[in-house]
Amino acid sequence: MVSSVIDIPDFFACNRALVDSELNRLIPSETHEPVRLHRAIRWSVFAGGKRFRPTLLIATGEAFGAAPEQLLRTGCALEMIHTYSLIHDDLPSMDNDDLRRGQPTCHVQFDEATAILAGDALQALAFQTIAEDEQLSPEIRVRVAAELARGAGTPVGMVSGQARDLEAESQTINARALEQIHLEKTGALICAAARCGAIIGGANDSELNAITDYAANLGLLFQITDDLLDVTATAGEMGKTPGKDARSRKATYPAIHGLEATRAKIKAAHAAACNALAQIDRNPDTLRAIADFVSRREA
Ligand code: GRG
């Protein structure tokens, strides 16, 4: 079922403005020494990302009755981790890309060492932001920090997914291995976003399980649509280099399954995400509308 009541582009735009203004407050200014480092951090953070993970966290938290001010700083922490991962992913030793969020990548604009340090500093600042968030009780801060670390790290987080992805470049991998890469590299941080929102909102264990199921499918949906866009979109639409997956013979959904099966998988992951939401007795409209939006996304 496609939701029509919630204006998701508007919901994203409102949350993006809130998150950007808080990020601006949390991140050292460009005039703060060492200025090259702070300019590099700001270059990448304020290059115009969608703020998908903070917005998902806010939508999930609000579904469980959390107040916006309880969610904002964890949302910023997620965006810091995400931006660090993009900066490092673009490095010559990883994906070696020179375009991100529609502008030169951090190491191209500055230099490789500065880009590595910008990513490192963002990761540290993310955990500092949660530890110092006075809107949350000490217990919730610890739970949220653990969720974020698990989603960002290893053995079932973004870093392990990235390691699997790099290993897969020199191998032919099957559909199951590809799905595991997606679940970890992209899905784990998306899962952490939704779970942190639910935890801040006071979700119980069964609600948290349902949200995890929703977010795992949403993460898959997000990555598969990203793979599909790499085949079908232009650089202007994507803000990064399209067609790169195919040129580097990267294992992707379209490469392994073909376009038709990829579109069928998008439908299946969307349905599974919506079914998971049906397990909880909360207003699921915004979360369902986000799944609708991701399954149709064009950037
Ligand atoms: C370097 C530890 C480490 C991990 C890198 C995020 C990542 C892991 C790699 C990026 C490769 C990639 C293009 C993955 C596809 C899904 C994805 C994470 C897309 C980028 O996220 P968006 O679309 O970007 O939310 P914006 O710019 O809108 O924030």
Side-chain angles (χ1 to χ4, degrees), residues 11-297:
F11 183 71
F12 269 85
C14 290
N15 285 305
R16 190 163 56 232
L18 290 174
V19 168
D20 283 0
S21 134
E22 189 64 10
L23 282 169
N24 189 37
R25 215 183 56 72
L26 292 165
I27 295 174
S29 84
E30 290 200 353
T31 54
H32 208 303
E33 293 283 353
V35 290
R36 187 173 178 82
L37 174 65
H38 297 135
R39 280 181 52 222
I41 291 173
R42 285 178 166 268
W43 173 263
S44 291
V45 171
F46 295 111
K50 293 181 286 296
R51 311 310 191 211
F52 178 74
R53 292 148 195 82
T55 301
L56 174 63
L57 168 120
I58 290 166
T60 313
E62 286 179 347
F64 284 92
E69 62 273 16
Q70 292 179 291
L71 301 162
L72 193 54
R73 248 147 271 155
T74 305
C76 291
L78 274 158
E79 192 62 27
M80 290 174 194
I81 297 275
H82 170 58
T83 304
Y84 122 69
S85 81
L86 298 180
I87 295 172
H88 283 193
D89 183 64
D90 290 331
L91 289 169
S93 56
M94 296 231 192
D95 215 29
N96 191 20
D97 221 323
D98 52 14
L99 190 64
R100 171 69 68 183
R101 291 178 164 171
Q103 64 176 26
T105 46
C106 195
H107 67 276
V108 168
Q109 183 69 18
F110 295 89
D111 58 77
E112 213 175 314
T114 304
I116 292 170
L117 292 173
D120 292 342
L122 279 168
Q123 176 156 219
L125 188 56
F127 288 101
Q128 182 187 339
T129 298
I130 291 170
E132 294 175 351
D133 186 352
E134 289 177 359
Q135 297 291 332
L136 303 178
S137 69
E139 289 81 359
I140 296 289
R141 290 184 217 177
V142 170
R143 281 185 74 189
V144 164
E147 285 294 334
L148 197 52
R150 195 174 299 115
T154 191
V156 284
M158 182 180 69
V159 168
S160 54
Q162 179 78 347
R164 286 180 198 273
D165 198 22
L166 291 174
E167 275 172 21
E169 279 176 11
S170 53
Q171 299 162 10
T172 307
I173 61 161
N174 61 26
R176 201 155 159 264
L178 177 68
E179 191 148 313
Q180 191 60 30
I181 291 173
H182 286 354
L183 284 172
E184 293 179 14
K185 189 180 87 165
T186 313
L189 203 58
I190 288 177
C191 245
R195 283 177 60 90
C196 286
I199 288 168
I200 294 169
N204 63 30
D205 285 350
S206 72
E207 289 170 325
L208 209 46
N209 286 340
I211 283 298
T212 306
D213 195 9
Y214 161 77
N217 281 291
L218 187 69
L220 212 48
L221 197 55
F222 192 88
Q223 178 64 63
I224 301 170
T225 51
D226 201 75
D227 281 2
L228 191 61
L229 284 169
D230 187 74
V231 179
T232 58
T234 64
E237 285 162 340
M238 290 187 86
K240 63 177 186 177
T241 318
K244 193 156 182 281
D245 292 346
R247 279 195 299 282
S248 57
R249 295 179 199 276
K250 213 176 173 86
T252 64
Y253 252 85
I256 289 189
H257 299 275
L259 285 181
E260 206 176 312
T262 298
R263 292 197 173 101
K265 182 68 190 174
I266 288 173
K267 276 197 179 152
H270 174 262
C274 294
N275 285 342
L277 289 178
Q279 310 303 313
I280 46 176
D281 191 17
R282 305 278 177 162
N283 183 343
D285 289 352
T286 309
L287 294 176
R288 191 182 296 128
I290 289 176
D292 296 343
F293 182 70
V294 172
S295 65
R296 294 192 308 260
R297 79 193 181 110

